[in-house]
């Protein structure tokens, strides 16, 4: 008997029966572009072993002009075909199934060769697309169909035709991007002709015994996007054209509403998919911010969809399904939806991985083999660096003792989890706790580790973290506290606050101080209202006519930095804009290019970039001016001649985050 009866109900697709209702959604890892297909095969095979019913690859270009970037992967050459055959073979050998996504980027292609229904530049690309003529459109259809035919030839179980997120097919659907007056533009019947024709001809080419998924944008979240009536009309037509499954797309990439970030409530958009249930006879998949078996089960039990798509959760833990089935859900490494190692990497042209699981997409390179000679290992510091080291070392067979002076594990993650919109960090700390027990780590909380205690161990690892930097601003009065004070419960006096430092922590503290009561991330209705998301059957494309309606801030907050650049510029590529927009909605003043002159009873005295001096009246100044390594223990060990590995913030404080801490800890543990 399973805890998740809906999740583990097989799904009959006619020619094939899927063993459960979980789809691994498409994610671009960048591995294909590296050309190392042994690594691509290992990545997918690992996830197939974990029991997910069906996987969808990252988007493959049907032709050069449709690739997201010049050189984007596709099935163009004999070598490409042989490489992909290797991937499908490995997946099938592991007992899994895999469909190839065909992604034509249209005007989103980051290339001067990009093409689109009309020459309308997107706000997220510098390139003006060329308008396709009739022959050009025919070529695009033929190329997509050929990609499907090739996918079938190399052993894929199906294809997903990417029709959402504002890509090529989606661009034909709305008048904003389709200004044509021929049979591909004008009335909706004409605008939807291309996606329907693509699916019809793909089905014709591949026959009946092949899965054809169509990813349909159910709520565009952009002005002049599709109406709900159009969504339903398209869904009917796509079903009629021969699709096996409809998958959900939420929002165009250019939408100014977050759709998958950690501050988006769990299952925030499954109600949209639910509206389509009963409208079509083929299975419907829902997606976005579904990251635990409990949530997946509830979504299915509530009748929101026939199947759930989870993408990033399978980066965090390839054994998600296997563990859920075995009643071991607590051991599933949680995807915290941070985007830090997956999507942000993709946008930085790096290989995608996972903050929580550095082995993701590094399966062949980062291997946790059983230790040849088990040793006694002491790890000092139960922040993410120490936790990941301790768990991995113990899993490899070492005898590990983990010390922390605090009475709980987590280190700075315990501050991160108090930020509204970062609630997922609770789950991460809880998971670390479960895994410490599973791995048999001896945990000694409330214990200040010193040289004497450590010298008996064969390996000593110092993960003692950081201390907040004192920026040394002359202070003759006023109230000055650090972010640690604020986030560990010290009262912030008054309702006017100036924050010194606009890094990740400065932004988080501003978020903390501008909210009160329940976090909108924990209250879907409040979150939808805050960002201006409406029922798409009432308001076109799901945009509320009144726009975002944030709750008012209990404080007047100002955020400063010395760098003469836009505050927040260095935050995560895919999430920085959300942090900035969120604080703007709360009326936070963000100022770059200042010099700090003085803090006194009148407030924070600064000199602006243009030389003007200003007193920012405030009741409290919060220092978020970065951090320095806590090397006190490392130095003492060195002085006593005890050799130690120093990792995490204790090693290098600059640009430290949990991603680097976990990666460094895991890699060290793999080498012990
Ligand atoms: P720490 O987490 O600082 O842990 C060090 C531990 O060592 C502490 O628990 C301390 O008590 C213990 N210790 C020190 N000396 C001793 C001793 N002698 N004996 C026993 N115990 C000792 N990072 C992200 O990647 N993404 C985010 O979204 C994010 N958000 C954040 C939000 C906030 C508000 C904060 C404060 C941080 C955030 N971070 C985030 C940063 C992240 O938490 C840190 O980079 C990370 O925790 C550093 O890990 P660490 O293990 O090196 O050190
Ligand atoms: P940070 O990002 O390095 O920012 C430090 C801030 O302090 C900067 O704005 C810096 O700007 C300012 N500063 C530095 N030295 C100063 C000085 N001497 N006087 C005055 N101001 C000074 O560090 P952080 O905000 O402490 O964050 C720590 C780490 O946690 C970061 O690396 C970050 O990646 C991680 N984190 C990540 C997230 C996330 O969402 N991914 C969230 C929180 C934290 P100026 O020098 O221009 O003044
Ligand atoms: Fe999830 Fe963050 Fe890992 Fe991406 S990096 S898969 S968002 S936990």
């Amino acid at each position: 008997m399973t805890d998740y009866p809906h999740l583990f109900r097989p799904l009959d697709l006619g020619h094939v029966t899927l063993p459960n209702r979980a789809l691994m959604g498409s994610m671009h890892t960048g591995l294909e572009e590296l050309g190392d297909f042994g690594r691509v095969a290992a990545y997918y095979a690992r996830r197939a072993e974990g029991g997910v019913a069906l996987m969808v690859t990252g988007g493959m270009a049907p032709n050069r002009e449709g690739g997201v970037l010049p050189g984007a992967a596709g099935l163009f050459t004999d070598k490409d075909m042989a490489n992909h055959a290797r991937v499908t073979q490995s997946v099938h050998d592991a007992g899994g199934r895999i469909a190839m996504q065909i992604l034509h980027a249209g005007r989103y292609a980051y290339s001067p060769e990009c093409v689109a229904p009309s020459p309308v530049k997107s706000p997220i690309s510098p390139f003006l697309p060329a308008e396709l003529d009739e022959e050009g459109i025919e070529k695009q259809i033929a190329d997509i169909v050929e990609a499907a035919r090739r996918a079938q030839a190399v052993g894929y179980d199906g294809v997903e035709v990417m029709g959402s997120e504002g890509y090529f097919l989606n661009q034909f659907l709305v008048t904003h991007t389709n200004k044509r007056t021929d049979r591909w533009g004008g009335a909706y019947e004409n605008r939807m002709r291309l996606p329907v024709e693509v699916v019809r001809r793909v089905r014709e080419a591949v026959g009946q015994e092949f899965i054809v998924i169509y990813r349909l944008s159910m709520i565009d979240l952009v002005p002049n996007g599709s109406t709900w009536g159009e969504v339903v009309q398209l869904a009917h037509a796509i079903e009629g054209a021969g699709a096996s499954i409809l998958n959900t797309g939420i929002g165009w990439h250019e939408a100014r509403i977050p759709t998958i970030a950690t501050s988006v409530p769990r299952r925030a958009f499954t109600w949209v998919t639910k509206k389509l249930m009963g409208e079509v006879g083929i299975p419907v998949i829902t997606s976005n911010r579904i990251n635990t078996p409990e949530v997946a089960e509830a979504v299915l039990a509530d009748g929101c969809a026939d199947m759930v798509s989870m993408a990033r959760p399978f980066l965090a833990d390839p054994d998600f399904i296997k563990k859920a089935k075995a009643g071991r859900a607590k051991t599933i490494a949680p995807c915290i939806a941070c985007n830090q190692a997956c999507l942000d990497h993709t946008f930085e042209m790096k290989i995608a991985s996972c903050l929580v699981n550095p082995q993701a997409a590094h399966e062949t390179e980062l291997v946790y083999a059983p230790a040849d000679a088990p040793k006694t290992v002491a790890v000092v510091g139960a922040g993410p660096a120490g936790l990941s080291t301790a768990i991995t070392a113990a899993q490899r067979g070492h005898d590990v003792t983990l010390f922390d002076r605090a009475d709980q594990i987590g280190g700075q993650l315990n501050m991160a989890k108090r930020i509204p919109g970062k609630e997922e960090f609770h789950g991460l700390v809880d998971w670390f706790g479960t895994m410490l027990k599973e791995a048999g780590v001896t945990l000694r909380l409330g214990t200040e580790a010193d040289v004497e205690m450590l010298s008996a161990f064969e390996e000593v690892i110092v993960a003692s973290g950081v201390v907040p930097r004192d920026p040394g601003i002359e202070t003759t009065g006023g109230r000055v506290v650090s972010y640690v004070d604020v986030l560990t419960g010290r009262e912030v006096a008054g309702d006017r606050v100036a924050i010194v430092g606009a890094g990740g922590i400065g932004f988080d503290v501003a978020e903390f101080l501008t909210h009160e009561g329940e976090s909108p991330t924990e209250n879907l209705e409040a979150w939808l209202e805050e960002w201006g998301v409406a029922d798409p059957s009432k308001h076109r494309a799901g945009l509320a006519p009144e726009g975002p309606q944030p709750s008012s801030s209990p404080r007047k907050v100002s955020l400063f930095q010395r760098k003469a650049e836009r505050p927040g510029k260095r935050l995560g590529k895919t999430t920085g804009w959300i942090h900035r927009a969120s604080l703007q909605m709360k009326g936070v003043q963000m100022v770059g290019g200042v010099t700090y002159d003085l803090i006194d009873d009148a407030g924070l005295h600064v000199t602006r970039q243009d030389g003007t001096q200003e007193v920012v009246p405030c009741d409290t100044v919060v220092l978020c001016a970065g951090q320095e390594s806590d090397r006190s223990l490392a130095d003492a060990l060195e002085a006593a001649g005890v050799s130690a590995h120093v990792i995490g913030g204790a090693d290098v404080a600059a640009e430290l985050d949990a991603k680097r801490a976990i990666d460094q800890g895991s890699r060290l543990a793999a080498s012990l």
Side-chain angles (χ1 to χ4, degrees):
M1 182 57 193
T2 165
D3 292 338
Y4 314 105
H6 293 83
L7 182 58
F8 286 103
R9 226 175 72 214
L11 181 65
D12 184 0
L13 294 176
H15 71 286
V16 65
T17 300
L18 302 178
N20 57 62
R21 303 296 179 112
L23 176 97
M24 178 171 115
S26 174
M27 285 177 289
H28 181 83
T29 58
L31 287 177
E32 287 86 353
E33 281 80 4
L34 272 188
D36 182 352
F37 273 75
R39 208 166 147 185
V40 181
Y43 162 76
Y44 284 114
R46 179 69 190 84
R47 279 144 189 90
E49 279 164 21
V52 62
L54 177 64
M55 299 181 284
V56 180
T57 67
M60 293 294 138
N63 52 28
R64 309 278 167 199
E65 61 270 31
V68 281
L69 286 169
L75 284 177
F76 304 123
T77 62
D78 288 349
K79 194 168 168 215
D80 290 337
M81 300 280 283
N83 282 335
H84 281 259
R86 202 170 155 191
V87 173
T88 57
Q89 188 62 52
S90 303
V91 168
H92 293 152
D93 288 349
R97 289 191 178 81
I98 185 162
M100 188 187 87
Q101 188 187 70
I102 305 173
L103 169 62
H104 190 310
R107 72 177 192 151
Y108 280 169
Y110 202 81
S111 152
E113 286 172 33
C114 63
V115 295
S118 302
V120 184
K121 199 177 87 59
S122 100
I124 56 172
S125 155
F127 301 106
L128 180 71
E131 182 177 70
L132 288 164
D133 58 15
E134 181 74 29
E135 200 184 324
I137 290 177
E138 276 300 327
K139 175 183 183 299
Q140 306 311 310
I141 300 174
D143 289 347
I144 294 172
V145 172
E146 179 58 17
R149 207 192 311 265
R150 287 175 177 227
Q152 189 177 34
V154 297
Y156 281 105
D157 299 279
V159 287
E160 177 173 81
V161 176
M162 183 44 157
S164 62
E165 310 331 82
Y167 287 116
F168 183 60
L169 298 180
N170 216 172
Q171 290 158 22
F172 272 78
L173 291 172
V174 310
T175 53
H176 182 58
T177 42
N178 183 347
K179 312 279 185 199
R180 306 178 71 94
T181 52
D182 60 3
R183 68 191 187 107
W184 305 101
Y188 191 66
E189 287 69 22
N190 284 350
R191 283 183 274 133
M192 73 175 199
R193 189 183 307 280
L194 181 64
V196 177
E197 192 58 17
V198 162
V199 172
R200 194 183 65 72
R201 290 206 222 163
V202 165
R203 173 56 78 205
E204 207 173 78
V206 297
Q208 290 307 311
E209 311 231 316
F210 194 63
I211 300 169
V212 177
I213 307 170
Y214 182 83
R215 185 126 174 241
L216 193 154
S217 182
M218 297 202 190
I219 181 167
D220 288 344
L221 299 175
V222 289
N224 303 316
S226 293
T227 64
W228 184 250
E230 290 167 349
V231 167
V232 175
Q233 190 179 343
L234 178 64
H236 281 298
I238 294 288
E239 179 181 19
S244 334
I245 303 178
L246 285 178
N247 193 1
T248 299
I250 301 290
W252 286 35
H253 283 324
E254 66 204 64
R256 294 289 88 187
I257 292 167
T259 54
I260 60 165
T262 191
S263 56
V264 176
R266 287 179 174 182
R267 59 172 294 190
F269 294 97
T270 56
W271 56 276
V272 179
T273 311
K274 188 176 185 182
K275 295 172 79 67
L276 198 68
M277 291 294 280
E279 296 278 3
V280 287
I282 52 177
V284 178
I285 305 177
T286 192
S287 73
N288 289 48
R289 288 290 280 119
I290 299 168
N291 67 342
T292 69
E294 286 73 21
V295 176
E297 175 66 16
V299 165
L300 293 167
D302 291 349
C304 296
D306 300 293
M307 200 169 177
V308 290
S309 168
M310 295 177 277
R312 298 171 296 171
F314 289 106
L315 286 180
D317 199 331
D319 289 325
F320 183 112
I321 291 296
K322 209 189 236 177
K323 289 177 178 174
K325 195 167 184 185
R328 300 180 65 238
K330 280 193 162 46
T331 66
I332 295 173
C335 167
I336 56 170
C338 63
N339 287 355
Q340 285 177 240
C342 51
L343 264 185
D344 284 350
H345 275 204
T346 301
F347 281 90
E348 291 161 8
M349 308 295 283
K350 293 185 200 157
I351 297 299
S353 185
C354 174
L355 174 142
V356 177
N357 172 23
Q359 283 186 307
H362 295 266
E363 284 77 12
T364 55
E365 170 244 333
L366 179 56
V367 178
Y368 303 149
D372 293 335
K375 297 177 188 170
T376 55
V377 178
V379 181
V380 182
L387 286 164
S388 52
T389 314
I391 291 164
T392 305
Q395 284 172 336
R396 292 189 55 227
H398 294 300
D399 178 4
V400 182
T401 306
L402 173 63
F403 299 88
D404 204 298
R405 64 162 78 97
D407 58 6
Q408 58 179 345
I409 63 163
Q412 287 196 54
L413 299 181
N414 292 313
M415 286 187 270
K417 72 190 190 189
R418 295 202 62 202
I419 308 298
K422 285 200 167 178
E423 290 78 6
E424 290 289 355
F425 279 92
H426 283 277
L428 179 57
V429 177
D430 292 348
W431 174 75
F432 275 128
T434 302
M435 297 314 287
L436 285 177
K437 285 197 197 108
E438 283 263 321
V441 172
T442 304
L443 181 60
R444 292 191 52 193
L445 291 175
T447 307
E448 178 83 33
D450 57 26
V451 175
E452 202 190 326
M453 231 180 249
L454 299 173
S455 32
F457 288 87
E458 289 170 271
E459 297 277 0
V460 177
I461 290 126
V462 178
S464 52
V466 290
V467 287
R469 176 184 290 128
D470 177 358
I473 304 170
E474 187 185 350
T475 304
T476 59
R479 186 178 157 84
V480 184
V481 297
S482 88
Y483 68 86
V484 177
D485 299 320
V486 174
L487 297 175
T488 52
R490 194 159 155 197
E491 189 91 0
V492 173
D495 53 14
R496 299 167 308 166
V497 180
I499 299 176
V500 169
I505 291 178
F507 266 80
D508 276 356
V509 167
E511 197 72 57
F512 181 80
L513 294 173
T514 52
H515 281 83
E516 83 188 327
E518 193 182 24
S519 161
T521 301
E522 307 271 74
N523 179 336
L524 179 58
E525 230 167 274
W527 184 87
L528 294 172
E529 198 177 305
E530 177 166 299
W531 286 95
V533 180
D535 183 338
S537 60
K538 297 201 175 97
H539 300 286
R540 180 185 277 275
L543 293 183
E546 60 277 14
Q549 300 289 311
S551 57
S552 58
S553 167
R555 299 181 183 83
K556 181 171 167 29
V557 174
S558 312
L559 186 59
F560 297 93
Q561 73 179 21
R562 298 172 306 174
K563 282 185 282 300
E565 64 183 31
R566 188 173 48 136
K569 191 174 167 213
R570 295 163 197 240
L571 297 176
K573 285 256 181 223
T574 61
T575 50
W577 69 272
I578 303 170
H579 293 298
R580 284 192 297 275
S582 170
L583 294 191
Q584 253 152 18
M585 290 199 288
K586 296 283 187 176
V588 174
Q589 183 197 18
M590 295 175 246
V591 188
V594 301
T595 309
Y596 306 110
D597 301 324
L598 178 74
I599 300 170
D600 65 11
D601 290 338
L604 174 67
H605 298 240
V606 297
T607 302
R608 294 254 192 175
Q609 206 179 343
D610 62 5
T612 53
Q613 293 186 316
E614 186 186 336
V615 185
V616 183
C618 58
D619 307 299
T620 302
V621 175
V622 184
L623 302 177
C624 302
Q627 297 138 340
E628 279 151 16
S629 297
D630 179 352
R631 292 193 65 97
S632 48
L633 179 62
D635 290 345
L637 286 166
E638 195 181 344
V642 179
S643 85
H645 308 269
V646 183
I647 59 168
D651 177 25
V652 179
E655 292 178 13
L656 168 74
D657 60 10
K659 179 181 78 172
R660 196 180 87 207
I662 292 172
D663 186 74
Q664 194 182 11
S666 305
R667 283 175 191 276
L668 171 63
S671 72
L672 288 176

